[in-house]
Amino acid sequence: MLNIQGLMKQAQMMQKKMQEAQEKLAHTEVSGSSANGLLTVTLNGKSEMKKISIDKSLASDDVEMLEDLIMVAYNNAHSQVEALAEANMKEATGGVNLGGLKLPF
């Protein structure tokens, strides 16, 4: 027979580790760039944009190009947030797959 108390304790510990991983991720910042680093977007672990840096050489009349560069930089940073979230989840759960549960939140 399984030790229910032991399983409950393990589940509580895993839940605590997952919460700690979420908090750690929320305070993490990652940057994505495009145009060889002339445009940089910084996101926090919740994929909220915290900063954008655009080199003056990109400020021109070609608004569509600038919009595309911003999207590329954002998507680059967002991919990094996703990878960090996955790594943090794997660490918090000891590699146990929780069926696609995603961080953060």
Side-chain angles (χ1 to χ4, degrees):
M1 181 175 242
L2 293 175
N3 180 348
I4 300 297
Q5 281 184 318
L7 287 175
M8 291 297 290
K9 188 173 184 176
Q10 284 180 329
Q12 288 172 340
M13 288 176 62
M14 186 181 294
Q15 182 179 17
K16 182 180 178 187
K17 286 182 180 182
M18 288 172 53
Q19 185 176 10
E20 289 170 355
Q22 288 175 338
E23 290 172 11
K24 177 182 173 185
L25 186 62
H27 291 88
T28 301
E29 289 191 353
V30 297
S31 295
S33 64
S34 61
N36 293 320
L38 295 176
L39 192 145
T40 304
V41 170
T42 302
L43 305 179
N44 67 11
K46 296 179 185 179
S47 292
E48 298 169 335
M49 193 178 303
K50 302 307 272 182
K51 181 179 169 186
I52 186 166
S53 173
I54 303 171
D55 188 271
K56 291 179 184 177
S57 67
L58 295 176
S60 68
D61 292 332
D62 193 353
V63 174
E64 287 180 17
M65 179 196 70
L66 190 55
E67 291 170 343
D68 289 343
L69 292 173
I70 291 169
M71 280 194 300
V72 167
Y74 176 87
N75 289 334
N76 180 273
H78 183 69
S79 294
Q80 292 179 52
V81 169
E82 294 266 323
L84 280 172
E86 186 176 325
N88 283 350
M89 178 64 81
K90 187 177 260 186
E91 183 181 325
T93 64
V96 173
N97 183 355
L98 297 177
L101 184 62
K102 293 181 111 182
L103 278 177
F105 322 103

